[in-house]
Amino acid sequence: MNIYRSHVLICGGTGCVSSKSDKLQEKFENLLVNKDLDKEIKVVRTGCFGLCEAGPIIIVYPEGSFYSQVKIEDVEEIIDEHLVKGRIVKRLLFKDSIEDDIIKSVEEVEFYKKQKRIALKNCGVIDPEDVDEYIAYDGYMALGKVLTEMTPEEVIETIKDSGLRGRGGGGFSTGLKWGFTAKAQGDQKYVLCNADEGDPGAFMDRSILEGDPHSVIESMAIAGYAIGSNQGYVYIRAEYPIAVDRLQIAIDQAREKGLLGKNIFGTDFEFDMEIRLGAGAFVCGEETALIASIEGERGMPRNKPPYPANKGLWQKPTLINNVETYANIPQIILHGADWFKSMGTEKSSGTKVFALGGKINNTGLIEVPMGTTLREVIYEVGGGIPNGKKFKAVQTGGPSGGCITAKELDTPIDFDSLTAIGSMMGSGGMIIMDEDDCMVDIARYFLDFTVEESCGKCPPCRIGTKRMLEILEKITSGNGEPEDLNRLERLSENIKSSSLCGLGQSASNPVLSTLKHFRDEYEAHVNEKRCPSGLCKDLLSYYIIAEKCKGCTLCIKACPSDAITGERKEVHEIHQDKCIKCGACLDKCPFKAIITK
Amino acid sequence: MKSLDELKKIREASLDKIDLRNKKDGMRIVVGMATCGISAGARDVLMALLEEIKSRNLRDVTVTQTGCIGICRLEPIFEVYSPGGEKVTYVNMTPEKAKKVISQHIVNNKVISEYTIGAVEE
């Protein structure tokens, strides 16, 4: 084996790959061979480091230097300067990792300091395509411990004691769920992993499968032992190709090592698993729809009970957990329930992964202990709002959740406190909005998503959400009537109480919560035909300020609909009847003479 | 996988693969790797250090590089920082001397005075 003096870790998560990290890796490997350094320096492709905003990211060990937004032409400089001469290339370091000329290593960067990584423990640390690296970080030790030292009952008891709750959004006690499925009678039982991540902006499940697929495999085998099942399925959307590939590689490696298959760890226990690809329908994240989809049926939910624990896949007792939930299990087994409970709040133990998106500096993936406040997440880990804008609200829980305003920024994040303030944990997507965002438009956006994703089985969801969307479109296009706000509320309540599954039951949450916190914005749209954030195009008009217009004709040339007239060196005019409100004139005007009202 | 012991063996063998990425609290050896150092043979010294550390299975030692330390005529140079922050500078290093530093200074905490800059400059 070669002795390496440096490791170059290149992020191979979807975010960084889309900014060409795969090309960087190729360049590194080629140059190292050319310079005869490939026996001393190892290039490792890892999963996501979490700071997607700063991608593509490269970390060089042993120094732990954190390079961000590395371009292909920077590669040679990193090799010649850092790897040959030991001079860290300061201009490429992530901005927060250099302070007063002192270089901080990756774990000292503010973004990581407040984080506690359990589910993401190995993401960005190991090569996900090398099972040995997973094993080096105690991988499969939990499975070994469970099979050789614990009874299935003890496993379930440990998970129950840990207080772990479903990370997919439901928040139901994982231990109880395991217990129900273990007790259910059946000749065959199944272990499913729900990797049908669909909330707009959420990508933690993808990142875990891309960065640490073995943690899910190990955990599903542990679950199989606990409930008495020998077969697992991971239901994952086909639009996650990197995650699917790496998971398949990991399953193959686990089989090769005898970590899946018969007589695992020399015991009678056998377990194997397969991938099932979904077509990316949001409703298939609902467990009964997911099961239908695996069975080859159309992905539509059914009434509960019976719950999958009793009648699930092919009518057999079935355990179904989310990716992030599974990723916590091996750590709980290894370190004990008390260790897990020592983090988080009383009723929500452990940590939670959040995907930060929208108007925030550090877009990316973070993991913090439950009970961390929204303010800490947004301003400390997330680095605050870009361009000095004012924070307006954060949407949690995706299309099922609601928004949280500045007043509630000091709320500790856990399952119950988010529900108490009218939002929900959901799968952990957080979309941060600033003063430029229109809350009516946000509600319209989420409804648009729900209408698109409604499976159509039950009328309240199929027809009701469509009607709500129509009302919202009416309001944002300037045709709203005062009565519309009451109609929205009434519809919301009806859809909530009569829909078949969670998708419909929660579809109106974004509307209800924006109506509650930002009713004034709705009223401005309806009563004054005005969008306070200036985002709803139909409610905007473009005007030329006569004093500022120099008559340069640039706007006339830019206007695609010939809505602007005027002679050279004379004040121009916008004709509202022809204006299509594209904003081209505003971008072109060198004198800032065009405004919107 | 037949037993937990088998898994532990794989883990032991794999630790080498990832050891470089772990945070360490022990001694830190910084090798001067500017043009002067490299031309005087610093690469061989660096590799000798790494080999010796590996063969002795010293998990808590970090080896990094730096640029020109400033006394090019005494290259190859490396500096050993103890966890407390004290620094010892070794000069005119060769792979053989480097291995000796590992065995005496890093393992037994005995500075080899005759190799240090203080002794050579006198």
Side-chain angles (χ1 to χ4, degrees):
Chain A
M1 206 175 97
N2 292 324
I3 303 173
Y4 294 105
R5 59 180 171 87
S6 279
H7 284 183
V8 176
L9 272 61
I10 301 182
C11 175
T14 293
C16 283
V17 169
S18 61
S19 51
K20 306 258 183 318
S21 71
D22 49 341
K23 295 272 184 296
L24 288 179
Q25 186 186 349
E26 221 171 87
K27 178 101 184 194
F28 258 107
E29 282 167 350
N30 290 339
L31 279 177
L32 288 177
V33 172
N34 287 347
K35 293 175 190 282
D36 202 21
L37 293 167
D38 56 317
K39 306 252 171 354
E40 300 171 21
I41 297 162
K42 186 177 176 187
V43 178
V44 185
R45 183 179 59 183
T46 69
C48 180
F49 293 111
L51 238 176
C52 309
E53 172 75 24
I57 287 170
I58 289 177
I59 297 183
V60 178
Y61 284 103
E63 294 87 353
S65 309
F66 192 92
Y67 290 118
S68 64
Q69 286 170 342
V70 179
K71 295 194 185 59
I72 206 105
E73 53 271 26
D74 299 329
V75 172
E76 190 148 17
E77 187 177 346
I78 294 180
I79 295 178
D80 289 348
E81 284 295 302
H82 186 156
L83 294 170
V84 175
K85 295 183 180 164
R87 289 196 285 244
I88 292 173
V89 186
K90 287 186 189 164
R91 70 173 180 92
L92 294 173
L93 286 177
F94 176 62
K95 56 183 187 314
D96 290 351
S97 71
I98 181 158
E99 206 176 286
D100 300 333
D101 227 36
I102 294 168
I103 297 167
K104 298 189 253 183
S105 78
V106 54
E107 59 269 4
E108 292 159 8
V109 172
E110 198 69 30
F111 177 76
Y112 291 105
K113 259 203 212 146
K114 279 243 160 163
Q115 294 199 46
K116 172 80 195 164
R117 290 161 91 91
I118 298 172
L120 299 178
K121 173 174 98 81
N122 288 333
C123 285
V125 178
I126 63 165
D127 176 353
E129 296 183 10
D130 185 350
V131 61
D132 288 347
E133 290 204 1
Y134 179 66
I135 293 173
Y137 283 104
D138 298 333
Y140 290 105
M141 292 301 280
L143 179 62
K145 179 177 173 186
V146 160
L147 293 184
T148 56
E149 294 169 16
M150 293 170 85
T151 64
E153 293 74 29
E154 282 168 347
V155 176
I156 293 173
E157 221 33 61
T158 306
I159 303 299
K160 231 184 254 177
D161 284 348
S162 75
L164 177 66
R165 296 169 67 172
R167 299 298 196 241
F172 188 75
S173 156
T174 305
L176 282 180
K177 211 180 206 180
W178 287 32
F180 293 150
T181 326
K183 276 199 207 95
Q185 298 297 317
D187 50 343
Q188 171 73 52
K189 292 181 186 178
Y190 296 104
V191 175
L192 301 190
C193 173
N194 184 348
D196 189 70
E197 186 171 46
D199 282 7
F203 56 97
M204 55 284 295
D205 295 349
R206 185 189 76 203
S207 284
I208 291 170
L209 288 170
E210 284 176 0
D212 195 17
H214 284 285
S215 68
V216 176
I217 298 173
E218 178 179 10
S219 182
M220 286 176 72
I222 293 171
Y225 175 72
I227 66 154
S229 161
N230 61 5
Q231 180 64 45
Y233 293 100
V234 179
Y235 185 85
I236 179 170
R237 32 183 62 209
E239 62 206 64
Y240 281 179
I242 299 178
V244 173
D245 279 356
R246 295 205 185 134
L247 181 60
Q248 189 58 56
I249 291 169
I251 291 174
D252 294 343
Q253 287 178 343
R255 276 192 198 130
E256 209 174 287
K257 282 254 189 297
L259 294 158
L260 288 174
K262 289 189 175 27
N263 301 114
I264 303 172
F265 285 104
T267 65
D268 293 338
F269 178 66
E270 62 169 283
F271 189 80
D272 208 341
M273 58 194 287
E274 286 174 27
I275 298 175
R276 286 289 178 269
L277 294 184
F282 181 62
V283 73
C284 286
E286 198 284 335
E287 52 188 13
T288 60
L290 184 150
I291 287 169
S293 179
I294 293 183
E295 289 170 345
E297 303 292 322
R298 193 170 161 176
M300 294 206 283
R302 62 159 173 78
N303 256 323
K304 289 189 279 191
Y307 287 93
N310 294 308
K311 278 193 173 172
L313 188 61
W314 293 301
Q315 301 296 308
K316 306 289 185 192
T318 300
L319 174 74
I320 174 161
N321 285 132
N322 152 276
V323 173
E324 190 190 332
T325 314
Y326 279 129
N328 279 293
I329 302 277
Q331 300 307 310
I332 295 174
I333 298 289
L334 285 180
H335 304 292
D338 289 333
W339 165 80
F340 194 72
K341 264 194 299 198
S342 72
M343 291 167 287
T345 60
E346 195 192 337
K347 287 190 173 153
S348 304
S349 49
T351 58
K352 177 77 191 85
V353 181
F354 291 100
L356 303 183
K359 308 286 177 59
I360 186 138
N361 277 318
N362 296 337
T363 308
L365 210 57
I366 65 159
E367 182 171 354
V368 289
M370 296 271 194
T372 306
T373 66
L374 280 163
R375 189 184 300 281
E376 288 170 304
V377 166
I378 293 168
Y379 286 95
E380 292 178 33
V381 184
I385 316 292
N387 306 322
K389 298 272 183 178
K390 222 174 107 202
F391 168 84
K392 187 177 204 171
V394 52
Q395 163 86 19
T396 65
S400 310
C403 60
I404 299 165
T405 60
K407 273 201 311 243
E408 290 147 339
L409 271 180
D410 290 308
T411 309
I413 307 170
D414 65 23
F415 286 102
D416 308 302
S417 58
L418 286 189
T419 310
I421 56 173
S423 185
M424 65 185 278
M425 180 77 84
S427 60
M430 270 196 193
I431 300 173
I432 290 95
M433 289 165 280
D434 70 8
E435 51 193 315
D436 291 342
D437 288 305
C438 166
M439 301 313 284
V440 187
D441 190 61
I442 295 285
R444 189 201 56 76
Y445 166 79
F446 279 112
L447 250 291
D448 192 45
F449 178 85
T450 330
V451 168
E452 193 80 5
E453 296 291 346
S454 172
C455 77
K457 186 170 182 176
C458 72
C461 175
R462 182 183 68 230
I463 305 170
T465 56
K466 178 86 179 154
R467 291 291 93 83
M468 281 179 78
L469 176 63
E470 284 166 1
I471 296 175
L472 287 168
E473 282 172 343
K474 198 172 137 196
I475 295 175
T476 52
S477 63
N479 300 311
E481 301 161 47
E483 182 51 26
D484 282 339
L485 302 189
N486 297 332
R487 274 192 205 114
L488 275 178
E489 276 170 335
R490 215 167 48 237
L491 258 173
S492 294
E493 293 306 333
N494 288 341
I495 296 171
K496 217 175 193 173
S497 56
S498 56
S499 289
L500 174 62
C501 81
L503 194 155
Q505 285 157 14
S506 61
S508 46
N509 285 352
V511 177
L512 285 176
S513 99
T514 46
L515 256 177
K516 183 177 162 206
H517 296 296
F518 298 97
R519 203 178 179 93
D520 54 325
E521 288 195 24
Y522 278 86
E523 283 167 350
H525 282 75
V526 172
N527 300 334
E528 304 163 37
K529 310 288 177 227
R530 181 177 67 85
C531 172
S533 326
L535 201 86
C536 294
K537 226 168 78 176
D538 292 333
L539 297 179
L540 282 184
S541 297
Y542 287 79
Y543 294 96
I544 292 175
I545 307 171
E547 298 81 58
K548 287 193 180 171
C549 178
K550 306 266 188 255
C552 71
T553 75
L554 275 179
C555 58
I556 299 182
K557 288 182 193 128
C559 179
S561 62
D562 295 329
I564 310 179
T565 55
E567 294 299 317
R568 182 168 285 278
K569 296 198 175 161
E570 279 173 28
V571 174
H572 301 341
E573 189 190 350
I574 300 177
H575 300 277
Q576 301 300 336
D577 52 330
K578 282 191 183 166
C579 175
I580 57 165
K581 299 167 185 179
C582 66
C585 52
L586 189 122
D587 294 339
K588 264 273 147 37
C589 178
F591 308 108
K592 295 195 167 64
I594 296 175
I595 54 156
T596 56
K597 271 200 271 207
Chain B
M1 197 64 59
K2 293 281 168 284
S3 66
L4 210 51
D5 287 334
E6 193 186 333
L7 183 70
K8 282 179 184 159
K9 269 193 205 117
I10 299 179
R11 182 177 63 172
E12 266 323 298
S14 305
L15 276 174
D16 281 336
K17 277 191 170 180
I18 50 133
D19 195 42
L20 207 58
R21 291 171 232 166
N22 290 335
K23 204 176 168 191
K24 297 169 189 200
D25 303 318
M27 302 257 199
R28 206 157 57 85
I29 307 177
V30 181
V31 185
M33 287 282 276
T35 310
C36 48
I38 294 170
S39 60
R43 279 271 286 285
D44 296 334
V45 171
L46 176 73
M47 293 319 281
L49 288 170
L50 290 169
E51 267 167 44
E52 192 63 18
I53 286 169
K54 184 180 153 56
S55 68
R56 288 171 180 270
N57 212 12
L58 306 172
R59 293 243 179 263
D60 219 21
V61 182
T62 316
V63 179
T64 60
Q65 314 157 62
T66 187
C68 181
I69 294 174
I71 9 162
C72 308
R73 64 196 164 84
L74 298 178
E75 291 280 2
I77 300 173
F78 62 74
E79 294 173 324
V80 177
Y81 290 82
S82 62
E86 303 97 80
K87 178 177 83 172
V88 177
T89 306
Y90 289 104
V91 299
N92 287 333
M93 282 290 107
T94 62
E96 291 69 39
K97 287 182 183 171
K99 287 186 178 179
K100 229 168 135 184
V101 172
I102 296 283
S103 64
Q104 303 214 3
H105 186 160
I106 306 292
V107 178
N108 294 323
N109 212 9
K110 273 204 240 123
V111 177
I112 311 179
S113 312
E114 65 208 82
Y115 293 169
T116 61
I117 187 161
V120 172
E121 285 293 80
E122 258 167 34

